[in-house]
Amino acid sequence: MIYAADIILPITSPPISDGAVLVKNSRIVTVGKKSDIVTANPNEDILEFRDALLMPGLVNLHGHLECSSFDFLAKPTPFPKWIRKMIKASGKMDRDDWLAASRFGIKRYLEAGITCTADITRTGLGIQAVAEAGMPGIVYIEAVAIDNNNLADAVVNILERVKSAESITRSGSFRLGLSPHSPYTLSQSALKICAEISREYALPLTIHLAETQPELELIKDGSGSLASMIGRGLELEVIKSKGSGKTPTEFLDDLALVNESLIAAHCVHLNGKDIKLLKKKNAAVALCPTSNELLGSGEAPVGKYIEHGVRFGVGTDSIASNPNLDLFVEARKVRTILAKQTGVKENQIPLSPEELIKTLTIKAAEILGLNSELGSLEPGKRADFAVLDYDNHTSPDPYSYLIENSSNSSIVYTILNGQIVYFSPSNSFQNFQYG
Ligand SMILES: [Zn+2]
């Protein structure tokens, strides 16, 4: 099959006008000018997208598919209160609800052009939804609410979940990972064991890190609004001993959790020393600006991450703190934050539109260790594409066009593993020619 569009955006090579991608057995064979590819492959079917741009599908570096029915929680709420509401809402869910929510989340991803996920699952049902969709990425089994009273049972439970997921991941398109939820919802012993399980089973890590000011207070002094809430349900050493005197990043590093397999989500409240530590250990950051904005958590020091060469990508987080799941909006918010932090105009920030689009594609794929499979249009890679409305009269530069204009609603087709898995009802078959 030949997929043709006004603009093909391979990401790792320059944009191609009147371009095409030849796909065989769900893999990219050639990327180039439509005329060349059609001439060289006269018997191949052509799917032509008009007034459209075709690019690799987007990579979401932080999400919780199974929370996709919690849109009613996506209201400005102080973080400890929001966590309490999450716990209450979770208590009303049964197995079927979690699975339905996970499947709904996948549907929303495909509508948003997202074809690769770094997803966290507490129930394990997120694994099923990702496997059914054939979506590549990493699905992290979550460990949460573990103190020394339930440690032994919790460790057995984690290991059982890892074992039972192994057969699915062996045949699926994604890898398994481990997600200790945060520095403040597991005891130090539990966090340490998570680091050991991650090493033993070669499971990459993700964790919520330094998301809020109350988290800093809890870890450093054992006090604050989050400490009083968490302390009611969990016996944590760090609260009992009136704090560790450390930042959350130093605290995790002492427990061997900061390493090159780690994607630390949010990372809003890091100081210069913390940022150097992330760089030294080659850990990556998943920025979640909409979620941070909604819950009043603050803005991540993106300028410092760039200055220190910390690897970062962008995540939506769950629908419970980001009802739109729109990675183009997240990229624009990163740009606004950077402009504010560096004191320059948005078109002068130290991250060009091209680099911003790369953080949604190839750079994120590199962080997941999946860049030989996806993140750009190159021979041998997966045929996972996002096709967007593109009016090429408005901007000569497709990267700027995407950053300035695009959103969820620009996605007209999403192709996963060489199959059309979504088309926009408003655009269906009007800008599409099959022949
Ligand atoms: Zn999260």
PDB file of all heavy atoms in Angstrom, residues 62 64 120 208 266 317-318, ligand 1:
ATOM      1  N   HIS A  62       3.383   9.656  29.359  1.00  0.00           N
ATOM      2  CA  HIS A  62       2.838   9.415  30.701  1.00  0.00           C
ATOM      3  C   HIS A  62       1.311   9.394  30.659  1.00  0.00           C
ATOM      4  O   HIS A  62       0.683  10.413  30.364  1.00  0.00           O
ATOM      5  CB  HIS A  62       3.301  10.496  31.684  1.00  0.00           C
ATOM      6  CG  HIS A  62       2.787  10.273  33.073  1.00  0.00           C
ATOM      7  ND1 HIS A  62       3.288   9.295  33.899  1.00  0.00           N
ATOM      8  CD2 HIS A  62       1.805  10.875  33.773  1.00  0.00           C
ATOM      9  CE1 HIS A  62       2.646   9.314  35.061  1.00  0.00           C
ATOM     10  NE2 HIS A  62       1.731  10.273  35.009  1.00  0.00           N
ATOM     11  N   HIS A  64      -2.521   7.089  32.159  1.00  0.00           N
ATOM     12  CA  HIS A  64      -3.190   6.065  32.977  1.00  0.00           C
ATOM     13  C   HIS A  64      -4.482   5.730  32.243  1.00  0.00           C
ATOM     14  O   HIS A  64      -5.532   6.326  32.534  1.00  0.00           O
ATOM     15  CB  HIS A  64      -3.544   6.588  34.370  1.00  0.00           C
ATOM     16  CG  HIS A  64      -2.419   7.164  35.153  1.00  0.00           C
ATOM     17  ND1 HIS A  64      -1.828   6.506  36.214  1.00  0.00           N
ATOM     18  CD2 HIS A  64      -1.767   8.352  35.049  1.00  0.00           C
ATOM     19  CE1 HIS A  64      -0.869   7.272  36.737  1.00  0.00           C
ATOM     20  NE2 HIS A  64      -0.810   8.400  36.045  1.00  0.00           N
ATOM     21  N   ILE A 120       0.499   3.462  32.839  1.00  0.00           N
ATOM     22  CA  ILE A 120       0.600   2.882  34.183  1.00  0.00           C
ATOM     23  C   ILE A 120      -0.713   2.169  34.498  1.00  0.00           C
ATOM     24  O   ILE A 120      -1.791   2.749  34.337  1.00  0.00           O
ATOM     25  CB  ILE A 120       0.870   3.984  35.222  1.00  0.00           C
ATOM     26  CG1 ILE A 120       2.251   4.613  34.949  1.00  0.00           C
ATOM     27  CG2 ILE A 120       0.816   3.405  36.648  1.00  0.00           C
ATOM     28  CD1 ILE A 120       2.536   5.856  35.756  1.00  0.00           C
ATOM     29  N   HIS A 208       5.924   9.044  39.680  1.00  0.00           N
ATOM     30  CA  HIS A 208       5.545  10.457  39.800  1.00  0.00           C
ATOM     31  C   HIS A 208       6.560  11.108  40.728  1.00  0.00           C
ATOM     32  O   HIS A 208       6.735  10.649  41.861  1.00  0.00           O
ATOM     33  CB  HIS A 208       4.151  10.596  40.394  1.00  0.00           C
ATOM     34  CG  HIS A 208       3.081   9.968  39.549  1.00  0.00           C
ATOM     35  ND1 HIS A 208       2.758   8.639  39.607  1.00  0.00           N
ATOM     36  CD2 HIS A 208       2.251  10.514  38.617  1.00  0.00           C
ATOM     37  CE1 HIS A 208       1.778   8.384  38.751  1.00  0.00           C
ATOM     38  NE2 HIS A 208       1.446   9.494  38.142  1.00  0.00           N
ATOM     39  N   HIS A 266       6.161  14.473  35.707  1.00  0.00           N
ATOM     40  CA  HIS A 266       5.867  15.803  36.262  1.00  0.00           C
ATOM     41  C   HIS A 266       7.149  16.591  36.529  1.00  0.00           C
ATOM     42  O   HIS A 266       7.402  17.583  35.884  1.00  0.00           O
ATOM     43  CB  HIS A 266       4.983  15.723  37.520  1.00  0.00           C
ATOM     44  CG  HIS A 266       3.653  15.109  37.241  1.00  0.00           C
ATOM     45  ND1 HIS A 266       2.662  15.803  36.607  1.00  0.00           N
ATOM     46  CD2 HIS A 266       3.165  13.874  37.471  1.00  0.00           C
ATOM     47  CE1 HIS A 266       1.603  15.022  36.454  1.00  0.00           C
ATOM     48  NE2 HIS A 266       1.889  13.836  36.960  1.00  0.00           N
ATOM     49  N   ASP A 317      -0.867  12.577  31.043  1.00  0.00           N
ATOM     50  CA  ASP A 317      -1.424  12.117  32.318  1.00  0.00           C
ATOM     51  C   ASP A 317      -2.838  11.609  32.028  1.00  0.00           C
ATOM     52  O   ASP A 317      -3.230  11.488  30.866  1.00  0.00           O
ATOM     53  CB  ASP A 317      -1.393  13.209  33.395  1.00  0.00           C
ATOM     54  CG  ASP A 317      -1.151  12.589  34.790  1.00  0.00           C
ATOM     55  OD1 ASP A 317      -1.363  11.380  34.949  1.00  0.00           O
ATOM     56  OD2 ASP A 317      -0.735  13.317  35.699  1.00  0.00           O
ATOM     57  N   SER A 318      -3.609  11.308  33.064  1.00  0.00           N
ATOM     58  CA  SER A 318      -4.904  10.666  32.780  1.00  0.00           C
ATOM     59  C   SER A 318      -5.993  11.708  32.529  1.00  0.00           C
ATOM     60  O   SER A 318      -5.815  12.900  32.794  1.00  0.00           O
ATOM     61  CB  SER A 318      -5.320   9.778  33.951  1.00  0.00           C
ATOM     62  OG  SER A 318      -5.860  10.570  34.991  1.00  0.00           O
TER      63      SER A 318
HETATM   64 ZN    ZN B   1       0.221  10.193  36.476  1.00  0.00          ZN
END
